[in-house]
Amino acid sequence: MRYQRIFTIVLDSLGIGAMPDSQKYGDVGVDTLGHIAEQKENFRIPNLQKLGIANLHQLKGVSPVQKPLACYMKLQEQSCGKDTMTGHWEMMGLHVTRPFRTFTEHGFPPELIQELEKRTGRPIIGNKSASGTEILEELAEQEIREGKLIVYTSADSVLQICGNEETMGLETLYRYCEIARELTMRDEWKVGRVIARPYVGKKKGEFKRTANRHDYALKPYGKTALDSLKEAGFSVISVGKIYDIFDGQGLTESNKSKSSVHGMEQTIDLAKRDFTGLCFTNLVDFDALWGHRRNVQGYAEELERFDEKLGELLSVLRTDDLLILTADHGNDPTYTGTDHTREQVPFLAYSPSMKEGKNLGVSPTFAVIGATIAENFGVKMPEGTIGTSLLEQLL
């Protein structure tokens, strides 16, 4: 075992340029990080810079460094799709050949809506891609007054149902979501997650979502590197959305985050703890708050806040720790629409024990991450998984 602890942090949606097949996905000339750097005055990410982010990908206003601290590489996605679950599942060894369904453009098909209305006994309103807070302002009064049901989606593969905790009740909302999960197991309607979105309040301006959200996720279709680690007795600790993405499979501990800054604070706290195994962190605000909302300035400032916390994390890493920074897809805030973008993602691997960083080239799959983690801890990747370890190259 070379490294006692591996910290893998996913900067959700931080793509670094179009995949060779991006045109098939309607994504031409996309570059999440590159376009942010072009539009942000005085873009300051000194810790990412010293690791080698600008050596890996040309960035306006951020110079390459002569001796990058990290080993760096571009990762290409082998799986079909450009969503969160596909990206994370591939990192841990699964090759997803059928992308999860999204219903961003036109909402859910009438057949699904009719079946959901029949099974819940409530007429459905909404049925479109929307922000969760905006749809409450638009439709929550009607839902409460007329006993209807708000159903909506986003750019992700999700079906979301809103319910007022006081008038509908949590248990009723959860039951409706269980019905929706059963219906959306059919291939033509299959979404990655059904999400219960409870809220309180009686009128516009007062509606607030509560912490009683519940995700009904698909389990990974096979075992991943996480399962191999857990079965071998290693710690597999998640921070942020990782629990939802893997439906808890292969984890020994999970920590919910209130924000990406909070997720980094949790990761720093874990780095001050003794454990042997993996800490797997997802920082979702890049994607949810800024990428989907096409907010370049917000995305850039989130990256600067991350970079500050990254400096704190680097200061507490031990010589036998490995830090891996990566992403799961792109979400170019300068591009049209509000969808994810099919992009290559960064791979930066750093340990205080490394002699020097270097360019490792391009990988045809994200799965090098899971394979590297598995080899480090001396466990076999599950049968049917993909990916080749980079451990020997991380000197």
Side-chain angles (χ1 to χ4, degrees):
M1 189 193 310
R2 181 180 298 168
Y3 302 109
Q4 194 81 8
R5 308 183 302 177
I6 297 180
F7 296 86
T8 299
I9 301 177
V10 181
L11 286 73
D12 200 306
S13 85
L14 191 72
I16 53 168
M19 279 273 295
D21 65 355
S22 67
Q23 198 162 357
K24 293 180 188 172
Y25 292 79
D27 299 330
V28 179
V30 290
D31 182 353
T32 300
L33 182 57
H35 289 153
I36 289 167
E38 279 177 15
Q39 293 198 20
K40 175 70 167 78
E41 295 269 332
N42 303 315
F43 189 31
R44 286 190 46 75
I45 47 171
N47 291 300
L48 282 167
Q49 184 179 17
K50 71 183 183 183
L51 289 179
I53 192 69
N55 298 68
L56 175 63
H57 190 56
Q58 188 173 348
L59 300 175
K60 183 184 174 187
V62 183
S63 304
V65 292
Q66 195 168 6
K67 292 186 176 178
L69 297 180
C71 293
Y72 53 93
M73 189 179 212
K74 289 185 177 180
L75 306 184
Q76 297 183 342
E77 189 163 13
Q78 193 168 322
S79 296
C80 298
K82 52 179 179 176
D83 63 86
T84 298
M85 287 173 71
T86 300
H88 284 76
W89 287 11
E90 182 170 318
M91 282 177 214
M92 293 299 130
L94 295 182
H95 181 202
V96 180
T97 56
R98 182 178 293 178
F100 297 111
R101 296 297 308 273
T102 57
F103 297 91
T104 312
E105 295 301 317
H106 306 291
F108 299 102
E111 298 79 13
L112 171 56
I113 293 298
Q114 287 161 14
E115 190 61 29
L116 196 51
E117 286 181 331
K118 182 177 158 189
R119 296 276 298 274
T120 61
R122 288 181 185 250
I124 285 172
I125 52 177
N127 190 25
K128 61 183 178 181
S129 179
S131 148
T133 50
E134 287 169 5
I135 206 157
L136 288 181
E137 286 300 292
E138 180 189 349
L139 296 174
E141 284 185 357
Q142 184 184 359
E143 178 176 75
I144 295 165
R145 184 176 64 247
E146 300 175 11
K148 293 187 175 174
L149 192 64
I150 299 171
V151 172
Y152 71 107
T153 188
S154 72
D156 279 321
S157 179
V158 293
L159 183 152
Q160 305 185 77
I161 302 180
C162 300
N164 187 287
E165 290 195 5
E166 296 151 309
T167 57
M168 182 184 294
L170 270 178
E171 292 311 311
T172 302
L173 173 61
Y174 292 162
R175 189 173 76 251
Y176 293 161
C177 289
E178 286 163 13
I179 292 167
R181 177 70 279 178
E182 181 192 331
L183 291 174
T184 54
M185 292 304 290
R186 284 170 53 170
D187 278 345
E188 64 268 34
W189 299 339
K190 190 173 281 187
V191 293
R193 285 172 295 150
V194 171
I195 306 176
R197 291 288 195 178
Y199 65 96
V200 292
K202 292 289 194 302
K203 61 183 181 182
K204 284 182 185 180
E206 294 180 357
F207 295 120
K208 286 186 180 172
R209 298 201 290 193
T210 74
N212 293 316
R213 163 183 169 162
H214 189 67
D215 290 51
Y216 299 79
L218 291 176
K219 283 200 178 292
Y221 67 80
K223 287 190 172 184
T224 70
L226 305 181
D227 296 288
S228 294
L229 291 171
K230 182 180 179 180
E231 288 165 9
F234 293 102
S235 295
V236 187
I237 303 168
S238 74
V239 176
K241 252 175 66 171
I242 299 295
Y243 182 93
D244 295 336
I245 292 164
F246 290 87
D247 198 29
Q249 188 171 304
L251 302 177
T252 61
E253 177 186 332
S254 63
N255 300 273
K256 281 189 173 182
S257 303
K258 297 171 191 168
S259 67
S260 289
V261 168
H262 182 225
M264 281 301 289
E265 289 168 349
Q266 291 170 303
T267 304
I268 292 162
D269 287 342
L270 286 163
K272 295 173 183 174
R273 233 172 75 181
D274 287 329
F275 68 92
T276 303
L278 172 67
C279 172
F280 196 5
T281 298
N282 173 279
L283 306 176
V284 74
D285 288 354
F286 300 106
D287 187 51
L289 296 186
W290 316 117
H292 286 309
R293 297 180 187 179
R294 295 301 185 245
N295 187 329
V296 180
Q297 190 71 16
Y299 204 132
E301 289 171 2
E302 191 75 58
L303 280 167
E304 291 177 334
R305 286 191 290 272
F306 164 78
D307 197 85
E308 285 182 31
K309 291 296 175 187
L310 174 59
E312 291 179 36
L313 178 60
L314 292 174
S315 72
V316 297
L317 289 181
R318 303 170 185 173
T319 54
D320 58 355
D321 287 338
L322 177 68
L323 171 65
I324 296 173
L325 301 180
T326 191
D328 51 345
H329 50 73
N331 199 344
D332 188 339
T334 69
Y335 204 56
T336 55
T338 59
D339 200 358
H340 295 153
T341 43
R342 175 84 167 171
E343 294 186 48
Q344 301 176 103
V345 301
F347 173 88
L348 296 169
Y350 166 74
S351 172
S353 62
M354 277 181 184
K355 293 171 190 167
E356 60 181 358
K358 57 187 171 184
N359 188 348
L360 301 180
V362 180
S363 165
T365 173
F366 297 176
V368 292
I369 295 173
T372 300
I373 294 166
E375 188 188 4
N376 179 73
F377 291 108
V379 301
K380 283 188 176 177
M381 286 291 288
E383 195 174 336
T385 52
I386 60 171
T388 306
S389 172
L390 300 172
L391 193 63
E392 289 310 307
Q393 298 178 62
L394 304 181
L395 299 174

